[in-house]
Every structure is written in C-alpha cells, then in structure tokens.
Amino acid sequence: MNLYSIKELLKKGTQCLNEKVTVQGWIRSFRSNQFIALNDGSGQKNLQIVLDYNNFNTDLLKQLTNATSIKVNGVVAESKGAGQEIEVIAEEIEIYGYANPEEVQETILQPKKHSLEKLREQAHLRFRTNTFSAIMRVRNALSFAIHKYFNENNFCYINTPIITGSDAEGAGEMFTVTNFNLNNIPKSDNGDIDFTKDFFSKKTSLTVSGQLEGEAAAMGLGKIYTFGPTFRAENSNTTRHLAEFWMVEPEIAFYDLDKTMWLAEDFLKYCIKYAIDHCKDDLVFLNQRFEDEQKQKPKEEKTEHNLLEKLDFVLNNSFVKLSYSKAIEILKKSKPNQKGKFKYPIEKWGADLQSEHERYLVEKHFKSPVILYDYPAKIKAFYMRLNEDGKTVRAMDVLFPGIGEIIGGSQREERLDILKNKIEDFNIDEKELWWYLDTRKYGTVPHSGFGLGLERLVLFVTGMGNIRDVIPFPRTPNNAEF
Amino acid sequence: MNLYSIKELLKKGTQCLNEKVTVQGWIRSFRSNQFIALNDGSGQKNLQIVLDYNNFNTDLLKQLTNATSIKVNGVVAESKGAGQEIEVIAEEIEIYGYANPEEVQETILQPKKHSLEKLREQAHLRFRTNTFSAIMRVRNALSFAIHKYFNENNFCYINTPIITGSDAEGAGEMFTVTNFNLNNIPKSDNGDIDFTKDFFSKKTSLTVSGQLEGEAAAMGLGKIYTFGPTFRAENSNTTRHLAEFWMVEPEIAFYDLDKTMWLAEDFLKYCIKYAIDHCKDDLVFLNQRFEDEQKQKPKEEKTEHNLLEKLDFVLNNSFVKLSYSKAIEILKKSKPNQKGKFKYPIEKWGADLQSEHERYLVEKHFKSPVILYDYPAKIKAFYMRLNEDGKTVRAMDVLFPGIGEIIGGSQREERLDILKNKIEDFNIDEKELWWYLDTRKYGTVPHSGFGLGLERLVLFVTGMGNIRDVIPFPRTPNNAEF
C-alpha cells in the first residue's frame, strides 16, 4: 500500500495502474453515492475516488459530506470519465473528521461560488478553496523563484532588521513598537516620554524598507538581497495597499543604473517563467477565472489579452526603456492630456507621475512594460545618485500593465559630500544616519538596488484585482483578524 | 576584458591564464608596494593583484590603503606565491573610494584582530571582515537550503502575519504595535484605552509564532512552512536570546509525531550537508577560528570534536529518540544528579528539563543529537495532542550539542472537544481562538509541525558562541542600533 499525495499520483497517472494506494484529503464533492472528488492541497486537480456503495455501510456513506476529511485505500484504475486519466477504486474508507453539512452551510466550504469578500472574512478556511489555494501555490512558486534567481547569481540573502531605531528610511509612515504599558508611560521631568525606559532604550518602529541596511551589507558582501516583511501605517483603503507586505530588495556593489535595469528585467522574466513552468494547472484555472471575470466587464474595461497571453507577452518582449523627460513629452502631447481626460494634467517637466499617466504609457502608448529612468531629484528620495545635469537622479521605476509600479530602484549616491548636502536639503538629521554615511567613508563604491513588492508581482501573475486576495492574512486599516 | 567576481575567477583558476580581466573589490592588504589582497565579498578567499610600481604614479600608489575600493584591469597569470593558483598582473587601477588610514584606524577595518564585541558596535562595517562575511554566507546557504528542502518536498511557503491581533500564541511576551501618538492615547469614558481608535481598531502585537495560522493553511494546502521573523519582548541578556529572530515552521496535514521526528532529522541533515557542500572555504576558515578559540579554553571546556568533525558527526549518526519518561530515569540515576551537581536536581517525573539536563543527555550520556518526545502535558502548550495515558502529550524537542533545543514540535490536538477542554484548562479565552477551533470543525485531520530558530542552526554550523554574531543587526534589550 503506497502513500501518495494527489498531485504525485495524478502525475504518475497510468504508470500506477492496478497499484494499491493510500490517499488522504478533503471531500470537495460526492455525487451519485459513487464519485468522490478528493483534494489534499497538493495541487489544483482533484482525484476521483469511485466507490461501490454496496460495499460500504450506510452510516459511513452518510458521513461522506463536503469538507469531510478521509483516508482511502484502493486500487488505481483507468478512468472512464472525462478530465482525468486515472481514478482510485475505493476498498476501505476511514473518516478522519466529519463535517456537518448544516454547519458547513455557514462557511465558504459549501459547494457554491462565494465572493472574494466573503472568502476574506473566512481567511482561515479559504486555503481550501480552488481560487485561493491556486493563488497560494503561485505565490509559493514566485517566492522560491526569487530565492533561486538570486542564489544562482551569487547574491547573499540578508535579513535586515524589522524593528528599527531609525526614523530616516523615508519610505512611509511607521508603526510604533513598544514594550511600555500604554496605561502608564514613563515621562521625564520635562514631561516628554522617557524612551530610555522602553525595551530598546529608544523609540522604535517597524521598518518601511531594509534598503539602507542592505546597502551596508552590499558594501562588504558585494551582491545581497533582502526578502522580508515591511510595513506602512498609512490609512490607504485601496486594492493596491497593505499595512504589512513582503518586499524583495537586491543591492549590488559596483552596479550602475543600466546594469540594474537589465537585472530588474531579467529577474522579473525569470520569476514569471518559473511560475508558468511550475504552476500550469493553477494558472490555467486562474486564466479561466480571469476570462469569466472579463465577460462581466463593460467593453472599454476589457483587456486585450487573457492572463496567460499577458504573461507570455511580458516574457517575449523587451521592456521599453525611456527617460522621464521623454515620457513627459509623450504625455504632454497625448490625447487624454490634450482632451483634459487626465485627473492631473501634465503641464511641465517636474510633474510627479500618477497611476493614470503610468498606465497610459504602458497600456495605451507602448503596450509593453516600461522602465522609466532619470527622474527629477525633487520627487525622489535623498539617497539617489545625482546626474551631471544637477536636476535629475538615477532613479528607475518598472511599470507593468494593470499594476503600475512593480519595481522602484536607483543607483545610490556614493559620493559622501553630495550625499551630505542631500541629507541637509531633505531636512534629515545627519546623526540619525552616521552609520550609513560611514559606508561612503571607507572605500565607497558605485552601487545600485531596487525594491519589488511581492504582492504586486503575485497580483500580476494571478490576474487578481485586489491585493488582499494574494496574501494569507491581510493587514489593512481596521483589520488584523486571525 | 571580461568582468569576474573574485570567487568566479578563482574557481576558473588556470582556465583563465593570459585572459584580460576586470575585477573590483576592497583592498584587504597591500604589501611591499607590490601585492594587493583584494576581496569583493563573493567568497572567503582574496585575489592577489600584482603590480609593478614603476608602471603606476606615486599618487595612486599612496592611495592603495586598506579598505580602499578599486577596479583593476589586468592579465591572469600563474601565481608563484603559496596559497593561490592564479593572480592578476595589474595593467590599470582605478580608485573608486579612497579610505584614509587615519580614519580607518578608528574602525574595525584596520588589519588587526578585533573582539566580536567591537565588531558588533560597528555592525554596519563588519560585513567586510573575514569572520562575519563567512558567517553571513553560511547563513545564506542555510536559508536557501531550507527553502530548497521544502520546495523539493512539495511544501507551500506561507507568510503568516507579523502584526497579530491574537493574544493566544502563548510562546512568550509580546511587543505592542500601535499607531497611537503615545503622548495622547485615546481613552473611553471608563478610562480604558480605546483601542478601537488605533490603526487596526484593536490591540495588536508582534507575532511570537506563526504556528496557529500555519495550521489553518496546512488544513487546506496540506504541507506548508513559514520562514519569517518572530519576536520576544523578554529581558533576556544571554548568548542564546534575541528579541527579533527568524523562525522556520513547517506544518503538515496527515502527519503524526513519528513522521515529524523523521522529517526534523532529515531536514536538519539536509541543511547542514548543503552548507558543507556549498561553503567549504568559509567553513574551513570558521573551523580554524573554532580551533584557535578552543586552544584558549581550560581543558574541561574543550570539545571533543572540531567544527567540521562536529558537523560530520551529526550527518553520519542517527539521532537518539527517547521518551521524556526514559530521559528522567537516566537523569535521576546520572552522576551529576547523584552528586548534587545539577542546579535543578531531578527528583521526579514531571520536572521541566533545564539546559543542563539536555546538555548532559546530548553531550555526556548519548554523545549524539537526541529527540525527546512525549512530555508531561502540564509543561507544554495547549495545542499539543494528548496521549492515551491522559498525562503526556505528543511533543518533541530536538537537542543538539552546545546548543540545546534546536527544534521544538508536536502533533497537534485535532479533536475539537479535547482541544476545548485544554483551552479552558489553560485559561485562554475561547473567543480569541474561534478561527483556530474552526479548523477542527470542518473535516479535522491529524497534523503535526515544528519550529526551528534559524539563528540556533547558524550558531551550530558556524561554531560561534553568541547569537548576536550570526544575525546582521541584532535586536536585544537596550539595543536597536542601525
């Protein structure tokens, strides 16, 4: 009696004909007192279990309800039904856990289509749905591809701190981390909070980016990447924002921006290809979901490509690389700008690009992923390398259809004097960054890096529309359930 | 002119003879105005650059100081010196960043042995030291091995939440996460803190374990693992504790404890073997460090094996599997117990084992890694599966020499009624765990899992003595610098 996961057994298929096997899983459906669709989470496809109800007692048959978990001993046979090569003829069935149909009615486990909102309310159970388990397997494949890519290219994985004493990361609003009793916060004589009495003897927050620490690591290890959670205490209730999300941040000594743009493109294509190669069943299922969803949409909102075509399109085309200045020229002359269709009209160089502009460039003008570079210094962070024109910096954003910015990066300012001026211009306390400045003092080198929000990549590859549906337990304003 | 990382070039060795190459890195030493030891972080070994000082101007030569970063164009030649196969004869040298020797004197970058404490104070620079860069590369290899192992075995990587609204994880003291202005915390009419006004509309903390959410995921996806940061707000200033550390938590549907013990052993051996296979230079270096350190120790503290022997020993021996009850018998009769040498004498069954007991079993009695199982229910967590004896639970701890507990795990209580009784016994509010109980309602299955602290594994494989030296930026009481 060989134990198989359902994915393994379906993969082996007719190789296993007549083999005695054990399989385990949850019942997805039980038809005609004869056919069980069994799923154990290993893959999208169910295994068909066939039973002769004359061979099983009625009490057991009554318990074979949706969501009930069972163990089956049986023999592999060729399937007469469509859609599967093999099935298992049950000889013995053991019930692990019965699921009462009346109780199941109140959950998402009943065999009925549920809204994604409803699934989110039962995030602890949605792992057992086709849609969410497919998304989780794609997320897993993408995460592994990220580690594999960097490993193959000799990057060193670095865990930058989650709890940070630094106020200067500058990527967004921060959550406070404290061990104080909030009912009794120690104060100094002058009435200020006495942070020296807190756990870390200073004010601490949750990190918004591991970049600055990542740069320090790259200044010794050469090529590094981080992959960990980051946080934003921003009250953004959108389909694109989470208070807690996972970020990938490579940082590479001796790389200029051109090399980094090449790296970003190569990296994204590698990850997407890995998912296509390793999650075929899940992507076929999600593609069907995507097409069904498209059918419900008004004509002007329909996309040109289905999900699988969209992924292929990204793989098979070079990303357009375009300077910010040229992008502004295109946008100024564009139809929506001329006709007053942009909410934020583009009038002159220096404008911060909004999602509507990015999407116009990607989806209408170039119909391709676009990498914009050399942005105005004023709209970008202090650590980006100043160009010789004195007004632009070596920043880049990778823009994807439907998603907008998927990667943001830059060559970093490695020249100590210019960096110090920038820090002053940005009103950052230099003392906060003593250690960061040190990395420019003792053998500074040109270097670059970028940040990828994992969830944005998962959104793109799964074709989902809401970022809360691509992370197991989303954290958003007013929601930290589970 | 081909660009190489130093690791790549040294690996290719004499294959590259007479090739024109470019290399980049930081100067580790410059001897006799002729020999530069160059390191770019790609590996432990430096590349020797040979220059004829007649071909370079004096100003440039003066700038070739320790820590200075350079780019070298040159030709690969067979090396006459010992310890390397090839060297690069410099034709052009470009300086990226000069390091002033007077300033470098104040840092750990000067060529002198520094204490590990001193390195910690300059955590942003220690990536450029032999010891710390070796540790980081080993940590990277172990992290990748963890992902690779689970990927090859069809586990799905799950990111459980970092910010949690649950008070019931039970693994330790929690940090508070808040978006309140601590100077002005909203109160209700009755004077209590009004958490409904905080970001998540409830009290939130940093997770101490992703296990409970991981179980929910395994109840749909079958085999899952988490790998992320966890936190303890405990004032433990020891060489074994961090306030922020990385934890790996696999959780497997349909696994009993026996299978999980087997998994833990197989997993640990796989990771250690991966590090040995992929970090040879770094482990040879760390082994030398370990042996040098041993020489300083009094005889009774010296270990039987050096670092490499210790790793081989773990790979080549089966872990001893022993019930808690048998361990107590052994400990009761042991010499240190009889002679009153244990700080906590073992008097009877039910005693909580201390580090001294675990180390006695592993290092003196069995001289082998040991897996203890079937612990008294009273000293273990509420979610562990009750044995038929009604007094022990299906818990296990994997104990390693020098480290003590490296893995803790258990079969989980999948029976709803028994779990509910346990929750009541442990005075946990059942409402807090509504969703966790749900996973036992709709098709519950036997399942198990364990937790591995990454830093403990890195400690073991690198032979380091203090956990602060195996994580880039340690977080401990009174310390959240960088």
Side-chain angles (χ1 to χ4, degrees), chain B residues 21-249:
Chain B
V21 298
T22 301
V23 289
Q24 306 167 102
W26 292 270
I27 296 175
R28 285 285 174 89
S29 71
F30 182 35
R31 291 184 296 114
S32 320
N33 244 357
Q34 201 175 358
F35 303 110
I36 295 171
L38 194 69
N39 193 290
D40 64 359
S42 60
Q44 182 61 228
K45 287 189 178 150
N46 301 325
L47 175 68
Q48 176 154 291
I49 308 291
V50 183
L51 58 87
D52 180 345
Y53 55 81
N54 295 311
N55 298 345
F56 294 88
N57 78 47
T58 332
D59 280 354
L60 183 125
L61 290 172
K62 274 189 196 153
Q63 289 187 67
L64 298 179
T65 55
N66 284 311
T68 289
S69 52
I70 56 172
K71 176 176 172 177
V72 178
N73 293 327
V75 178
V76 178
E78 216 157 338
S79 180
K80 288 151 201 156
Q84 65 242 347
E85 209 179 36
I86 55 159
E87 58 197 21
V88 168
I89 313 296
E91 292 181 343
E92 287 172 291
I93 295 179
E94 182 189 327
I95 293 188
Y96 284 129
Y98 170 64
N100 181 327
E102 281 171 32
E103 288 179 11
V104 168
Q105 277 304 315
E106 288 159 34
T107 74
I108 58 171
L109 299 175
Q110 55 180 327
K112 175 185 137 183
K113 295 260 173 205
H114 286 283
S115 70
L116 294 168
E117 289 75 14
K118 183 85 186 163
L119 296 191
R120 259 172 250 148
E121 286 165 20
Q122 296 183 18
H124 61 306
L125 298 177
R126 65 179 175 167
F127 299 101
R128 276 161 78 179
T129 64
N130 285 332
T131 302
F132 196 69
S133 62
I135 295 165
M136 284 300 102
R137 284 186 296 262
V138 172
R139 183 182 169 111
N140 167 62
L142 289 168
S143 297
F144 188 68
I146 290 164
H147 284 295
K148 194 162 186 289
Y149 179 85
F150 288 122
N151 189 266
E152 286 171 2
N153 290 286
N154 291 312
F155 283 67
C156 187
Y157 180 44
I158 287 288
N159 296 125
T160 48
I162 309 301
I163 300 173
T164 176
S166 168
D167 242 354
E169 295 175 353
E173 290 297 309
M174 299 173 102
F175 288 103
T176 300
V177 174
T178 178
N179 203 25
F180 281 151
N181 174 348
L182 297 189
N183 278 307
N184 186 13
I185 294 179
K187 301 273 169 93
S188 324
D189 292 344
N190 65 6
D192 289 347
I193 295 169
D194 185 1
F195 283 107
T196 65
K197 295 219 168 71
D198 206 351
F199 189 92
F200 296 108
S201 300
K202 67 192 297 191
K203 191 175 181 314
T204 52
S205 315
L206 286 179
T207 184
V208 293
S209 162
Q211 180 199 314
L212 304 190
E213 290 92 350
E215 285 187 55
M219 295 304 92
L221 294 162
K223 297 160 92 174
I224 68 96
Y225 71 108
T226 73
F227 187 175
T230 50
F231 306 86
R232 297 283 184 284
E234 276 149 25
N235 205 346
S236 310
N237 246 318
T238 80
T239 58
R240 290 282 176 277
H241 293 88
L242 291 167
E244 172 181 317
F245 58 99
W246 284 68
M247 188 123 90
V248 181
E249 296 181 286

Side-chain angles (χ1 to χ4, degrees), chain A residues 26 69 124 128 139-140 147 157 159 162-163 176 178 199 201 219 244 438 442-445 475 478, chain B residues 26 69 124 128 139-140 147 157 159 162-163 176 178 199 201 219 244 435 438 442-445 475 478:
Chain A
W26 292 271
S69 52
H124 60 306
R128 278 161 78 178
R139 184 183 168 109
N140 167 63
H147 284 295
Y157 180 43
N159 296 127
I162 309 300
I163 300 173
T176 301
T178 177
F199 189 91
S201 299
M219 296 303 92
E244 173 181 317
D438 261 11
Y442 316 113
T444 189
V445 300
R475 272 31 189 151
N478 306 315
Chain B
W26 292 270
S69 52
H124 61 306
R128 276 161 78 179
R139 183 182 169 111
N140 167 62
H147 284 295
Y157 180 44
N159 296 125
I162 309 301
I163 300 173
T176 300
T178 178
F199 189 92
S201 300
M219 295 304 92
E244 172 181 317
W435 59 271
D438 261 11
Y442 315 113
T444 189
V445 300
R475 274 23 188 158
N478 307 314

Side-chain angles (χ1 to χ4, degrees), chain A residues 333-459:
Chain A
K333 290 181 204 150
S334 71
K335 261 194 198 165
N337 202 48
Q338 307 262 335
K339 292 192 173 173
K341 293 277 172 71
F342 282 144
K343 194 173 161 202
Y344 299 90
I346 295 289
E347 282 160 10
K348 57 179 185 196
W349 192 94
D352 204 355
L353 299 187
Q354 305 297 322
S355 176
E356 57 181 347
H357 309 128
E358 295 175 347
R359 294 189 66 165
Y360 172 80
L361 290 169
V362 171
E363 292 165 26
K364 303 288 175 191
H365 189 83
F366 290 109
K367 297 182 189 254
S368 160
V370 172
I371 308 186
L372 291 188
Y373 61 90
D374 285 351
Y375 280 83
K378 284 191 180 159
I379 60 171
K380 288 287 180 182
F382 73 91
Y383 49 71
M384 297 187 178
R385 194 179 200 275
L386 194 64
N387 279 315
E388 289 193 1
D389 62 16
K391 61 178 194 167
T392 61
V393 287
R394 297 247 71 192
M396 65 136 178
D397 282 351
V398 183
L399 311 176
F400 260 32
I403 302 290
E405 184 192 325
I406 195 162
I407 276 181
S410 71
Q411 186 165 339
R412 317 307 189 188
E413 184 55 77
E414 88 280 16
R415 297 162 295 186
L416 184 61
D417 49 342
I418 299 176
L419 184 60
K420 279 188 170 179
N421 289 341
K422 270 299 211 42
I423 287 173
E424 210 185 308
D425 289 351
F426 276 70
N427 286 317
I428 301 168
D429 184 359
E430 207 183 290
K431 278 188 228 118
E432 283 273 341
L433 290 172
W434 68 272
W435 58 273
Y436 185 68
L437 290 169
D438 261 11
T439 61
R440 271 66 172 172
K441 272 184 198 157
Y442 316 113
T444 189
V445 300
H447 63 287
S448 306
F450 64 76
L452 165 84
L454 173 67
E455 286 74 17
R456 297 234 173 141
L457 180 60
V458 183
L459 268 184

Side-chain angles (χ1 to χ4, degrees), chain A residues 213-225:
Chain A
E213 291 91 350
E215 284 186 55
M219 296 303 92
L221 294 161
K223 296 160 93 174
I224 68 97
Y225 71 109

Side-chain angles (χ1 to χ4, degrees), chain B residues 375-386:
Chain B
Y375 281 82
K378 284 190 181 158
I379 60 172
K380 288 288 182 183
F382 74 91
Y383 49 72
M384 297 187 178
R385 193 179 200 275
L386 195 64

